[in-house]
Amino acid sequence: MKVGQQVILTGMQPTGKLHLGGLLGAMDNWQKMLGDYDCLFFLANQHAITMPYVPAALRKNTLDCVAQYIACGLDPKRCKIFLQSHIIGHTELMWILGCITPIGQLERMTQFKDKSKKVGESIYSGLLYYPVLMMADILLYNAHLIPIGEDQKQHLEITRDIAQKFNNIYSETFVLPEPYIGKTGARIMSLQDPTIKMSKSDKNQNAVLYITDSDDVVRKKIMGAVTDSDSKISFDQKNKPGIANLLNIYAAATNQSIEASVAEFANLTSYTPFKRAIADVIIAKISPIRNKYLEIVDDKEYLLSVLNEGKEEAQKRANKMMAKVYRKVGFLID
Ligand code: TYM
């Protein structure tokens, strides 16, 4: 099969403003694949209700997220952008896959364990089922390559396991998807505690850099990033996690290796010029994105039209796969 025919599929939860982790770990890689693959990008709004949330905010964030996708370079003329809940098939396939997914395997998922701790007593089954819905998202479209950050790798592994299991039980049906994880940017850490992932739910908002942050705010957050008492720029994840995170950010933003980035700053004897250089690169990267985002975010009609176009194509493909799956599992099709 030619690369151009291979399906790339990935998504993001529309839970708020896009941060640097989502930009460098996800969106940047997605954007590079346009033109070379058959690209499907969706908004995982059904995943977004597995944690406590506010419906009105989810509604607003959904259209904001479409605007962010487009602002980051996902040109709707070159890919399909759609909303998970618009398509009949994701939850239907989830149910069928759930019927061959061991509970123990779901309970062992790192993300389930981490998020369960956050919600305390009220752990609902949607959180446990989260990876099964993700399997359905991927397998419904026979996707070959799934661009994700490090944190989603385990969910891809379980998807492959269950797809293989389905193929063994019901005969060859699903393509086994491969993860695509960028060499840099796959795990951007908090600017205030570089041992934890950058996340929009962080209580300390200085730890998170958003694509909507003004140039001044970007500079302030980078200059205030936690480092160490040394002054040497080297990549040492264990002993210098702050510097390692900044090097990773720099390497991903400039499209070069960590080694090349370290070499660029090898002669510095203080962290200040290093941080200044990172702030410059990030400002240059996100300011056009922010401007494009601001230009389209209030154009509800346009954003809905993008989703509707995506829906039409995605639903066609989903119908085809669901007819095949229903036949295999013994459901009558009218
Ligand atoms: P979500 O919305 O948490 O994140 C979207 C993408 O951004 C990556 N990411 C990061 N990468 C680097 N550093 C970070 N700090 C960082 N934070 C987030 C994530 O790895 C992800 O690739 N379950 C998924 C959405 C989803 C999905 C799917 C993805 C649902 N179904 C099917 C691929 C295929 C999620 O919640 O991503």
Side-chain angles (χ1 to χ4, degrees):
M1 182 179 278
K2 277 199 247 146
V3 168
Q5 294 167 321
Q6 290 196 344
V7 175
I8 291 274
L9 173 134
T10 193
M12 187 171 275
Q13 293 186 49
T15 41
K17 292 181 286 183
L18 184 68
H19 60 63
L20 200 62
L23 176 65
L24 299 178
M27 219 61 99
D28 254 10
N29 291 325
W30 306 3
Q31 192 258 111
K32 285 179 200 148
M33 289 166 159
L34 292 177
D36 289 336
Y37 294 89
D38 175 10
C39 292
L40 304 176
F41 301 119
F42 72 101
L43 288 76
N45 63 338
Q46 289 170 323
H47 280 102
I49 66 169
T50 54
M51 291 294 274
Y53 76 106
V54 178
L58 178 60
R59 207 171 291 125
K60 178 181 179 307
N61 287 336
T62 300
L63 282 188
D64 282 8
C65 188
V66 181
Q68 285 165 11
Y69 275 22
I70 298 169
C72 287
L74 304 185
D75 177 356
K77 292 196 186 73
R78 303 173 72 204
C79 62
K80 295 291 169 232
I81 298 176
F82 63 94
L83 185 61
Q84 190 181 32
S85 67
H86 269 168
I87 310 300
I88 300 165
H90 290 247
T91 50
E92 283 75 4
L93 184 56
M94 175 189 76
W95 176 253
I96 293 169
L97 297 171
C99 290
I100 57 165
T101 304
I103 292 185
Q105 225 174 326
L106 295 177
E107 283 169 341
R108 283 194 296 276
M109 291 287 117
T110 313
Q111 190 175 296
F112 171 69
K113 288 194 275 186
D114 288 351
K115 287 192 175 176
S116 305
K117 272 189 222 140
K118 275 191 197 156
V119 288
E121 296 283 283
S122 45
I123 307 172
Y124 296 120
S125 35
L127 196 56
L128 184 68
Y129 243 62
Y130 181 113
V132 193
L133 180 57
M134 198 160 151
M135 290 174 208
D137 299 335
I138 295 168
L139 301 177
L140 189 58
Y141 301 97
N142 250 339
H144 297 84
L145 205 53
I146 316 298
I148 40 168
E150 273 299 331
D151 61 331
Q152 298 296 323
K153 204 170 145 204
Q154 208 181 25
H155 293 155
L156 232 284
E157 283 158 6
I158 193 176
T159 301
R160 285 175 61 87
D161 274 4
I162 302 303
Q164 182 73 70
K165 193 169 177 184
F166 187 100
N167 287 351
N168 291 343
I169 300 172
Y170 297 106
S171 81
E172 206 60 30
T173 308
F174 298 123
V175 165
L176 299 190
E178 298 280 347
Y180 175 89
I181 299 179
K183 284 200 182 68
T184 52
R187 195 167 168 78
I188 301 295
M189 311 305 271
S190 148
L191 296 175
Q192 292 297 315
D193 176 358
T195 61
I196 58 168
K197 202 179 71 162
M198 183 179 285
S199 156
K200 46 198 157 198
S201 58
D202 203 313
K203 286 199 180 71
N204 183 352
Q205 288 294 292
N206 284 328
V208 196
L209 224 163
Y210 295 103
I211 61 159
T212 45
D213 282 344
S214 70
D215 294 354
D216 285 350
V217 170
V218 171
R219 196 169 292 284
K220 207 174 119 244
K221 287 184 179 176
I222 299 273
M223 296 311 286
V226 166
T227 50
D228 52 57
S229 54
D230 192 12
S231 55
K232 179 147 177 43
I233 315 282
S234 64
F235 190 81
D236 179 346
Q237 194 83 63
K238 191 158 165 270
N239 299 309
K240 295 164 77 71
I243 292 296
N245 188 35
L246 292 177
L247 280 167
N248 194 19
I249 290 173
Y250 186 80
T254 53
N255 254 322
Q256 58 178 354
S257 65
I258 297 279
E259 293 74 27
S261 308
V262 173
E264 246 184 78
F265 300 108
N267 295 330
L268 294 184
T269 49
S270 130
Y271 289 153
T272 311
F274 170 58
K275 285 181 166 176
R276 227 179 266 137
I278 296 176
D280 288 345
V281 161
I282 298 300
I283 288 169
K285 184 163 183 71
I286 71 174
S287 60
I289 296 177
R290 182 182 61 225
N291 294 344
K292 176 76 186 170
Y293 167 78
L294 292 173
E295 184 190 314
I296 58 175
V297 69
D298 293 324
D299 193 347
K300 201 171 162 188
E301 207 178 307
Y302 167 61
L303 299 174
L304 282 172
S305 76
V306 169
L307 284 184
N308 281 330
E309 215 177 282
K311 173 182 168 182
E312 216 173 289
E313 176 62 25
Q315 189 63 66
K316 255 192 247 159
R317 298 188 194 200
N319 289 346
K320 220 164 138 196
M321 178 55 90
M322 285 316 289
K324 190 170 169 185
V325 169
Y326 276 13
R327 214 176 306 116
K328 298 236 178 175
V329 302
F331 290 174
L332 290 182
I333 307 167
D334 52 22

